[in-house]
């Protein structure tokens, strides 16, 4: 696992490369490598997981093929064996060292042979210099880039990329609306107009003569299979997930698991405990008495699995002081309060001495676990509107009240994110579940979940592995008959069936609840978070961007004080996160402070 960076075209000074590396050192503190030549550079910061004494990057084949790589290749042993039989020589057993030979043998199709999570950069100097970038099927490892026709720069994290001279900081004008509509920018967009993120399952080729060409790798269709009855479908899900969870237990360092107390992480914990005796399980809760406390269920799961249980207790009084750090690591706003919980959770994993942990992320997307999916399937012909409203940090009517007249007019002219998503959902045909799952997997999962997990875990030098993102699990889920995923008010039916007997009934039979921060209770007068938010979201400086009406923002606090509710609390939280981010930009970026 690493942080990677580099460029083709342009001329980046050595001290600028060192600054990019320094800004990502938290994600790879074990070693730093780089190489540079005429108009190119590659570098990485290493978090040693496999072959602790090897792993020097860039990996090379001869003088002309060089590779930097972030992630894990789970089938590297099989690939190395086959490549060795074909005459290739390897000098260590690190998983990434197979990539140069694989590229040399198969060209751009090399990614078709990889099983894992990855962001890869291949520099090919054999003819016209060529930079090849690739991401895994799910988009587990992000790769940000800026390309201007003459040069391309890339890195694993936004603050590092923005430290490169010439990478523009111009903001995407519609970004605020996009953020409040979906909690973070979806697709390839970022909050910066000149910076994009490579989509999932993508291979990009850049040359100075031809520019950048991005292609999404072909994906097999997902026709519904005859899954048999629900019990048979559950058994298939259980065995497929078991095989992948056991495969993901391979590492040269100790492995742990996240156990929130919900179905998905509980099932991963139970299956991992079969492979890793006395595995360590981590849960986060908050000091005091708050809603959505799941630690009782997490303890039951750990006890049943024989796991060593770690309870991380976070003090809400410290939250205002942590938000600047959380927002900086994300690089752009994410309105889900879970970001703060996630940051503290992985800090606890790191402090306990673990570099690797498994989580249950992505189960809801592929098995149909969200209430918004259930409601869309039960809804009228106007279901896309309700579905998009359920994604929002701030409902559409409230967004309109918060915006200035000028910003509302700009959005009227350019269109909104809500309109774009609705068009996509309607264009995907009459199969609602297929349309929703495609959108969730293509856009929301990588942007909203996987980048958050990646950035906030690697902030503490922790690698997260995701069994539900493995190709075999995802394909099985998407090919199940619709009624084995969602039927009426029941969601994730096959997954629940597969977990029966492995996960305590108390977890399976309780209502689904969010793994998040209880901000409605925390954003009331007298609580530290409330005072901090009110101070930051008041005053004339709030109007400087010309997008938000300060009086309307003040009205949110009045409403929350009079009658605390989820809508006003999440709106305040979302604006607070955006405000912290814009202040970091106004200060010149936290990146400059950290690189100094």
């Amino acid at each position: 696992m690493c942080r990677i960076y580099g460029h083709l075209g342009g001329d980046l000074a050595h001290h600028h490369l060192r600054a990019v590396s320094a800004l990502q050192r938290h994600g790879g503190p074990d070693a730093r490598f780089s190489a540079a030549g005429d108009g190119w550079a590659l570098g990485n910061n290493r978090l040693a997981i496999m072959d602790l004494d090897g792993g020097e990057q860039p990996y090379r084949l001869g003088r002309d093929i060089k590779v930097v790589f972030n992630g894990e290749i789970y089938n590297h042993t099989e690939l190395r064996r086959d490549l060795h039989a074909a005459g290739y020589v390897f000098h260590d057993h690190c998983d990434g060292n197979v990539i140069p030979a694989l590229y040399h043998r198969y060209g751009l199709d090399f990614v078709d042979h990889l099983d894992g999570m990855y962001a890869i950069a291949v520099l090919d100097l054999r003819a016209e210099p060529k930079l090849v970038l690739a991401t895994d099927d799910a988009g587990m490892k992000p790769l940000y880039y800026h390309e201007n026709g003459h040069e391309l720069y890339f890195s694993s994290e936004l603050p590092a990329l923005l430290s490169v001279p010439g990478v523009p900081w111009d903001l995407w004008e519609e970004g605020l609306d996009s953020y409040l509509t979906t909690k973070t920018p979806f697709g390839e967009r970022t909050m910066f107009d000149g910076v994009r993120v490579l989509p999932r399952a993508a291979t990009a080729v850049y040359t100075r003569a031809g520019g950048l060409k991005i292609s999404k790798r072909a994906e097999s269709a997902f026709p519904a299979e005859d899954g048999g009855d629900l019990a048979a479908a559950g058994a298939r899900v259980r065995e497929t997930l078991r095989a992948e969870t056991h495969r993901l237990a391979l590492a040269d360092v100790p492995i742990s698991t996240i156990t929130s107390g919900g179905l998905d992480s509980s099932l991963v914990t139970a299956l991992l405990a079969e492979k890793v005796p006395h595995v360590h399980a981590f849960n986060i809760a908050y000091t005091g008495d708050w809603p959505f406390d799941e630690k009782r269920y997490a303890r039951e799961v750990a006890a049943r699995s024989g796991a060593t249980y770690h309870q991380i207790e976070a003090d809400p009084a410290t939250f205002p002081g942590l938000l600047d750090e959380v927002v900086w690591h994300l690089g752009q706003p994410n309105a889900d309060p879970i970001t703060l919980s996630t940051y503290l959770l992985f800090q606890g994993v790191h402090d306990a001495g673990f570099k690797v942990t498994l989580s249950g992320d992505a189960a809801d997307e592929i098995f149909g676990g969200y209430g918004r999916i259930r409601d869309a399937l039960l809804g009228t012909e106007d279901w896309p509107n309700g579905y998009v409203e359920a994604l929002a940090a701030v409902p559409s009517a409230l967004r309109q009240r918060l915006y200035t007249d000028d910003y509302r007019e700009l959005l009227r002219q350019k269109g909104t994110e809500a309109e774009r998503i609705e068009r996509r959902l309607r264009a995907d045909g009459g199969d609602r579940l297929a349309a929703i799952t495609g959108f969730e997997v293509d856009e929301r999962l990588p942007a909203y979940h996987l980048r958050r997990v990646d950035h906030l875990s690697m902030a503490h030098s922790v690698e997260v592995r995701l069994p539900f993102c493995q190709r075999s699990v995802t394909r099985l889920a998407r090919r199940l008959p619709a009624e084995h995923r969602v039927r009426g008010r029941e969601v994730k039916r096959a997954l629940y069936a597969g977990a029966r007997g492995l996960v305590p009934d108390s977890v399976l039979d309780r209502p689904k609840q969010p793994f998040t921060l209880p901000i409605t209770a925390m954003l009331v007068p007298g609580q530290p978070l409330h005072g901090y938010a009110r101070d930051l979201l008041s005053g004339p400086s709030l109007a400087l961007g010309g997008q938000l009406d300060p009086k309307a923002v003040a009205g949110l606090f009045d409403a929350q004080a009079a009658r605390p509710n989820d809508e006003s609390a999440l709106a305040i939280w979302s604006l607070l996160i955006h405000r912290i981010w814009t202040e970091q930009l106004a200060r010149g970026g936290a990146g400059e402070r950290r690189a100094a």
Side-chain angles (χ1 to χ4, degrees):
M1 183 63 68
C2 301
R3 278 338 203 191
I4 62 174
Y5 57 91
H7 72 97
L8 180 58
D11 184 18
L12 203 57
H14 180 65
H15 67 275
H16 289 135
L17 288 172
R18 289 185 63 87
V20 173
S21 176
L23 288 167
Q24 298 187 128
R25 187 176 182 276
H26 48 267
D30 295 330
R32 174 187 176 273
F33 305 110
S34 64
D38 183 17
W40 64 268
L42 296 174
N44 89 302
N45 302 83
R46 186 181 188 217
L47 180 65
I49 304 295
M50 304 294 294
D51 192 356
L52 305 185
D53 295 325
E56 180 175 347
Q57 298 192 35
Y59 301 113
R60 295 174 171 86
L61 185 69
R63 295 188 302 173
D64 294 332
I65 297 177
K66 308 174 193 295
V67 173
V68 288
F69 152 69
N70 172 30
E72 296 289 349
I73 305 302
Y74 301 123
N75 64 334
H76 68 97
T77 300
E78 298 93 324
L79 292 173
R80 187 179 296 105
R81 182 187 61 236
D82 294 344
L83 291 165
H84 183 73
Y88 294 95
V89 177
F90 303 95
H91 300 291
D92 65 27
H93 290 86
C94 198
D95 57 324
N97 75 355
V98 301
I99 298 174
L102 207 61
Y103 172 79
H104 181 264
R105 189 174 191 187
Y106 297 108
L108 296 180
D109 294 333
F110 79 102
V111 290
D112 295 336
H113 301 266
L114 297 174
D115 177 12
M117 56 179 180
Y118 53 83
I120 297 170
V122 179
L123 182 68
D124 186 346
L125 300 173
R126 288 176 294 180
E128 179 188 10
K130 176 195 302 180
L131 183 63
V132 178
L133 306 176
T135 53
D136 63 67
D137 286 0
M140 288 177 273
K141 296 287 106 180
L143 200 59
Y144 299 92
Y145 67 91
H146 166 70
E147 187 262 335
N148 59 20
H150 306 289
E151 52 203 6
L152 185 146
Y153 299 94
F154 70 89
S155 72
S156 297
E157 297 186 7
L158 262 171
L161 182 60
L162 292 168
S163 75
V164 174
V167 173
W169 288 34
D170 301 328
L171 299 185
W172 177 31
E173 283 188 304
E174 303 98 299
L176 173 63
D177 179 69
S178 175
Y179 162 67
L180 295 180
T181 300
T182 58
K183 296 190 178 79
T184 200
F186 281 7
E188 301 174 48
R189 296 298 312 230
T190 73
M191 296 290 280
F192 299 94
D193 207 35
V195 176
R196 296 289 189 273
V197 59
L198 204 62
R200 74 176 187 95
T203 302
V205 178
Y206 174 78
T207 63
R208 280 171 281 194
L212 179 66
K213 295 179 174 62
I214 301 174
S215 60
K216 286 289 294 289
R217 297 193 292 278
E219 190 168 57
S220 60
F222 300 102
E225 294 182 341
D226 180 7
D229 62 17
L230 185 60
R236 290 179 62 200
V237 169
R238 181 176 59 249
E239 292 312 309
T240 304
L241 188 64
R242 170 178 279 132
E244 293 295 359
T245 301
H246 290 185
R247 289 180 68 234
L248 268 56
L250 178 66
D252 293 332
V253 296
I255 289 180
S256 62
T257 182
I258 302 301
T259 307
S260 70
L263 166 65
D264 311 332
S265 65
S266 297
L267 182 52
V268 169
T269 297
L271 294 172
L272 183 63
E274 297 173 348
K275 182 72 173 179
V276 181
H278 309 296
V279 68
H280 290 247
F282 289 83
N283 175 264
I284 188 165
Y286 315 103
T287 55
D289 185 17
W290 303 99
F292 309 128
D293 189 338
E294 296 186 289
K295 58 179 177 283
R296 174 172 73 85
Y297 301 105
R299 285 196 186 99
E300 285 186 45
V301 170
R304 178 167 183 147
S305 302
T308 300
Y309 183 73
H310 297 256
Q311 183 64 65
I312 300 166
E313 295 282 345
D315 183 356
T318 67
F319 291 171
L322 290 171
L323 282 174
D324 188 76
E325 191 79 0
V326 172
V327 172
W328 184 86
H329 277 289
L330 289 168
Q332 59 183 344
N334 184 312
D336 194 328
I338 200 175
T339 55
L340 189 54
S341 313
T342 304
Y343 179 85
L344 292 169
L345 177 62
F346 291 126
Q347 183 179 67
V349 173
H350 169 84
D351 291 347
F354 289 89
K355 283 184 172 182
V356 178
T357 195
L358 271 65
S359 91
D361 288 284
D364 286 315
E365 285 78 7
I366 61 175
F367 284 99
Y370 292 118
R372 64 175 175 271
I373 298 177
R374 175 200 62 208
D375 294 343
L377 296 180
L378 294 172
T380 65
E381 287 302 309
D382 195 36
W383 65 269
N385 177 266
Y387 172 84
V388 174
E389 276 289 278
L391 293 173
V394 180
S396 57
L398 180 54
R399 292 199 301 273
Q400 292 300 309
R401 295 200 299 272
L402 292 172
Y403 296 156
T404 62
D405 291 342
D406 287 345
Y407 194 52
R408 282 195 294 268
E409 176 60 20
L410 180 141
L411 295 173
R412 187 189 67 78
Q413 294 177 12
K414 294 193 172 184
T416 66
E417 182 72 350
E419 292 166 345
R420 181 192 73 81
I421 296 172
E422 285 194 40
R423 284 195 301 270
R424 168 173 175 161
L425 292 171
R426 295 184 192 279
D428 276 353
D431 188 335
R432 293 189 191 182
L433 184 56
I436 292 169
T437 304
F439 172 77
E440 292 274 353
V441 169
D442 281 344
E443 295 202 32
R444 187 177 183 275
L445 178 62
Y448 179 73
H449 277 292
L450 301 182
R451 289 174 211 158
R452 166 177 53 81
V453 169
D454 174 82
H455 294 319
L456 298 180
S457 61
M458 292 293 274
H460 300 292
S461 309
V462 173
E463 170 184 303
V464 178
R465 297 180 179 179
L466 303 134
F468 286 104
C469 285
Q470 285 295 100
R471 187 180 299 146
S472 65
V473 178
T474 299
R475 287 179 178 173
L476 171 59
R478 296 184 70 175
R479 296 184 72 171
L480 286 172
E483 63 270 18
H484 286 350
R485 287 188 278 167
V486 185
R487 187 181 70 180
R489 309 299 298 177
E490 298 177 66
V491 298
K492 289 194 294 195
R493 298 182 72 234
L495 193 60
Y496 274 97
R500 188 72 65 179
L502 287 172
V503 172
D505 289 347
S506 59
V507 172
L508 296 175
D509 297 336
R510 72 187 182 94
K512 180 178 174 62
Q513 67 183 49
F515 168 50
T516 190
L517 193 70
I519 56 167
T520 301
M522 292 181 176
L523 280 170
V524 296
Q527 291 293 332
L529 204 55
H530 179 273
Y532 176 69
R534 183 138 210 168
D535 288 346
L536 210 56
L537 292 172
S538 62
S541 61
L542 189 66
L544 292 179
Q547 296 177 330
L548 292 171
D549 179 350
K551 291 183 179 178
V553 174
L556 287 175
F557 285 93
D558 295 338
Q560 178 69 359
R563 183 177 296 175
N565 64 87
D566 293 346
E567 181 177 299
S568 58
L570 185 54
I572 291 169
W573 175 271
S574 304
L575 294 175
L576 172 63
I577 297 301
H578 188 268
R579 179 66 171 166
I580 293 169
W581 177 73
T582 56
E583 286 208 338
Q584 288 179 354
L585 296 179
R587 295 198 303 264
E592 291 188 2
R593 169 176 54 82
R594 288 169 171 271

